Amino acid sequence: MSRRCFHRAVVMLAAAVVLAGCSLRTAEKVDVLVVGGGTSGVAAGLQSARMGARTFIIEETDWLGGMLTAAGVSAVDGNYRLRAGIWGEFLDSLVMHYGGSDSLKTGWVSNVLFEPAVGNDLFHRMAAAEPLLTVKHGTAFVDARREKGRWIVRTEHAGKTETVEARVLIDATEQGDVARALGVPYDIGMESREATDEDIAPETANGIVQDLTYVAILKDYGHDVWIARPEDYDPALFACCCANPLCTNPREPNRVWSKEMMMSYGRLPGGKIMINWPIEGNDYYTNMIDLSREEREAEIAKAKHRTLCYLFLQNELGLTTLGLDDETFPTEDRLPLIPYHRESRRIHGKVRFNLNHAMHPYEQPEPLYRTCIAVGDYPVDHHHTRYTGADSLPDLHFHPVPSYGVPLGALIPADRQGLIVAEKSISVSNIMNGSTRLQPVVLQIGQAAGALAALAVKQGCTVDEVQVREVQRAVLDAGSYLLPYLDVPKDSPYFKPLQRIGSTGILRGEGRNVDWSNETWIHADFLLRASDLHCLAEYGMNAPDDKALPERTVSIAEAVHIVTGKEMGTVWEQVEAIVHKYAWSDCDTQRPILRKEFAVLADELCNPFARAVNIKGESD
């Protein structure tokens, strides 16, 4: 090599070193990085920052809220009576914005409807109120690697590659793309009945996912609005979306409703109309989960075309004054920023939550109910009508379940340290995803993900080293539910004790279906019976003396003995303090005790919740 070439090589090497050093010095360092500012991502960022962790959310669009806002699905399904945590805050903000709860009941599909732009604005206000939270829009995830207990994440913003270093990484993308990039094993489609032991699962596994929808928001312009006839428009695809002369052979004869019902289904405050119509409407089948970005864009274009074809049906139905709203979305085509994905990859987590855990939580080999961090009460609802061959699939249209809790282990990959997975990509069965995918549940999943991340940062440990009970305490302190007890509102002084004692299994809730309602009750105001008590020895408590009469009630004095093993006189000062704290009107120690009263005695005198459980709910 010549001296000149050698000198040039040295200069180039020195420049590369300098640039690398500059890149390293300018890399953003945070505690928690949330990839995706969707429904769970915004909740994860808020909770993480509130618990003291410096948190970044990166989001490709200019909106926050994902399916609730950017996808236009601004009609909330479920959890109307379980207003918890950030879901409750968001709902309260909507009520304040529109002037009352009744103002949200403008369409018959939901008790909570709102304009997508309003939801986006509310989420941005919530984020702006957190000094430790930064939201960076227009930013895409590229890749990540783990070095010395930190994530080195490459992102792309304005055509430039940037680097973020984080101690904990949360995948809150719509399709679980971060988990895939990091090699986390996952499933797509339906598992076999043998794999999940779910009675309604198919006999053999398949790769069939739920239909997605490209939602539309319409406005009545008060005069005819010309819509160009889409290429390949086929009115037969939509003929039976409602009762009309074109409908001669409906797929669902029992759900052929009037066009007035169809249009009032998703009517929003202010009179605009959300079009997310499941009956021969704008659902579209495609499995785009494992496709490249370019291939996904092609499928999205097809989904948009399906929606535009459905909207052209207005000409057949005489709804010619309705057109795409020109105010809601900042897009050239006036359609939402993203499609509504009902299904994603489902990771292999520390545990997998399935239908049996929801239906019969106390009968499963693993007591996952002890580890719950979010609640849901919507039935299992799958959309498959646009899939060719849907008749061969299980009927998963509003399959009833009791209300349920989501276990923490579903958010933690089985073999990747420092990563938490949220949104719809958690470790659940395909069938159970039909309920856990709903907006309030996903908001709570995100909030729990943020709490877990912040605790890992605070404790200087990995995600899977954080104790289950510590995450649950953080969730409770944030005003959220662990278990979905309808009879104990979160502002009750008995709320936390019953949530804690219920999470030990000492007292158990009763799940049931009432018409369309999926419920769980702890029967807080019922008298305690000897047969109500479970696994007492596991927590160092004493079984009732008279096992021959399990239906008999238990007195306050006996309850104290069960909890402490002591006679009333030796612990009276502690009991008296509890009586005053909870304002018991009758402190006769021989009277029968209520279930909620037993819960506070057990909680304060024995504190069984303090006994650690592992990620599967087993006592350590």
Side-chain angles (χ1 to χ4, degrees), residues 222-289:
H223 56 81
D224 283 356
V225 181
W226 184 81
I227 296 179
R229 181 186 178 95
E231 186 179 354
D232 300 325
Y233 168 67
D234 181 3
L237 283 172
F238 317 103
C240 291
C241 64
C242 64
N244 69 89
L246 296 175
C247 181
T248 58
N249 186 28
R251 296 179 185 176
E252 301 178 72
N254 295 328
R255 295 209 298 168
V256 181
W257 294 319
S258 69
K259 64 182 180 182
E260 289 77 19
M261 284 195 69
M262 179 177 68
M263 302 314 294
S264 62
Y265 171 86
R267 188 174 293 279
L268 305 178
K272 294 174 184 178
I273 298 169
M274 181 197 69
I275 298 296
N276 177 25
W277 186 243
I279 305 167
E280 301 193 40
N282 55 326
D283 283 2
Y284 178 76
Y285 181 77
T286 179
N287 186 346
M288 59 185 284
I289 296 172

Side-chain angles (χ1 to χ4, degrees), residues 81 95 289 451 560 581:
R81 293 187 287 175
V95 169
I289 296 172
V560 170
K581 179 178 178 179

Side-chain angles (χ1 to χ4, degrees), residues 187-242:
D187 293 322
I188 297 174
M190 297 182 176
E191 300 96 345
S192 69
R193 190 175 308 162
E194 180 180 4
T196 64
D197 199 31
E198 296 168 317
D199 290 342
I200 59 174
E203 290 188 11
T204 57
N206 60 56
I208 301 165
V209 301
Q210 290 195 61
D211 300 346
L212 61 77
T213 303
Y214 224 99
V215 172
I217 305 295
L218 304 186
K219 180 170 73 173
D220 192 334
Y221 285 84
H223 56 81
D224 283 356
V225 181
W226 184 81
I227 296 179
R229 181 186 178 95
E231 186 179 354
D232 300 325
Y233 168 67
D234 181 3
L237 283 172
F238 317 103
C240 291
C241 64
C242 64

Side-chain angles (χ1 to χ4, degrees), residues 502-518:
S503 296
T504 67
I506 293 170
L507 288 179
R508 296 178 175 181
E510 179 195 4
R512 61 193 187 192
N513 308 108
V514 182
D515 298 324
W516 283 89
S517 179
N518 304 303

Side-chain angles (χ1 to χ4, degrees), residues 40 54 84 106 139 161 245 286 328 337 360 387 459 481 583:
S40 68
R54 186 168 180 238
T106 49
T139 305
T161 299
T286 179
T328 296
L337 288 75
H360 309 290
Y387 173 74
Q459 297 173 10
Y481 289 81

